[in-house]
Amino acid sequence: MRVRVNPAAIASLGLSLEDVRTALIQSSVNAPKGSFDGARQSYAINANDQIYSAADYRDIIIAYRNGSPIRVADLGEAVDNVENVRLASWVGGQPAVLMDIQRQPGANIIQTVDRVKALLPNSARRSLLR
C-alpha cells in the first residue's frame, strides 16, 4: 500500500506527517491482544488486524478535530502499489528483473555465479554476457 497525503491539508488541521505515520502503524498490527491466565493454563488472544487493501486504509482515523474524525481519505489517498516505485532495471532497453545475490562467507564466487547462470533461462543468460 502507499498513502499519499496532501501536506497543506494536514498542516491546516494542525497535524504532521509523523501523526499520519503513527496512526497508520497503530491501525495495522499483527500482535497478541491479551491473554487468559489460569491456575493451570495460559492462553494468548490473537487477532490479525493487518490491513491488506488500499480501500481499507482510506477509512483509518488519523485524529479528531472538533469531535469529528479526520480520515486518510480526507487528507489524500491510499493506493495499492509496489513497495518501491523508484527502483527498476533495464537491459538493452527492455525491462528486466534486478537480483541482488550476495556471496556467503567462505563461498566460491565463481561457482556461485556459475550456479546462478545455470538456473536462468537462455535469454537471461545471454543478457548477462553483454
Side-chain angles (χ1 to χ4, degrees):
M1 287 348 112
R2 192 167 301 281
V3 175
R4 298 178 187 141
V5 295
N6 179 340
I10 61 173
S12 70
L13 294 165
L15 297 170
S16 68
L17 289 174
E18 181 62 24
D19 295 326
V20 175
R21 186 188 76 82
T22 301
L24 293 174
I25 289 171
Q26 291 175 348
S27 65
S28 184
V29 178
N30 183 13
K33 307 302 179 225
S35 64
F36 292 116
D37 293 319
R40 292 188 219 160
Q41 185 177 8
S42 291
Y43 182 78
I45 302 168
N46 285 312
N48 188 342
D49 292 341
Q50 285 184 292
I51 300 173
Y52 294 104
S53 73
D56 293 336
Y57 272 95
R58 292 179 188 119
D59 290 329
I60 292 175
I61 297 171
I62 303 299
Y64 286 88
R65 293 295 183 262
N66 300 321
S68 297
I70 305 299
R71 301 177 191 279
V72 168
D74 299 326
L75 303 174
E77 64 179 342
V79 294
D80 291 310
N81 205 328
V82 295
E83 184 174 329
N84 187 343
V85 296
R86 292 175 176 86
L87 179 65
S89 61
W90 289 266
V91 173
Q94 297 292 318
V97 174
L98 178 65
M99 291 179 20
D100 180 21
I101 300 171
Q102 298 180 359
R103 180 179 64 91
Q104 294 295 314
N108 182 317
I109 190 100
I110 303 300
Q111 288 177 345
T112 302
V113 169
D114 289 343
R115 287 180 182 168
V116 169
K117 284 182 178 180
L119 293 172
L120 295 172
N122 285 334
S123 61
R125 265 185 264 155
R126 282 193 302 274
S127 294
L128 285 175
L129 299 175
R130 290 183 193 166

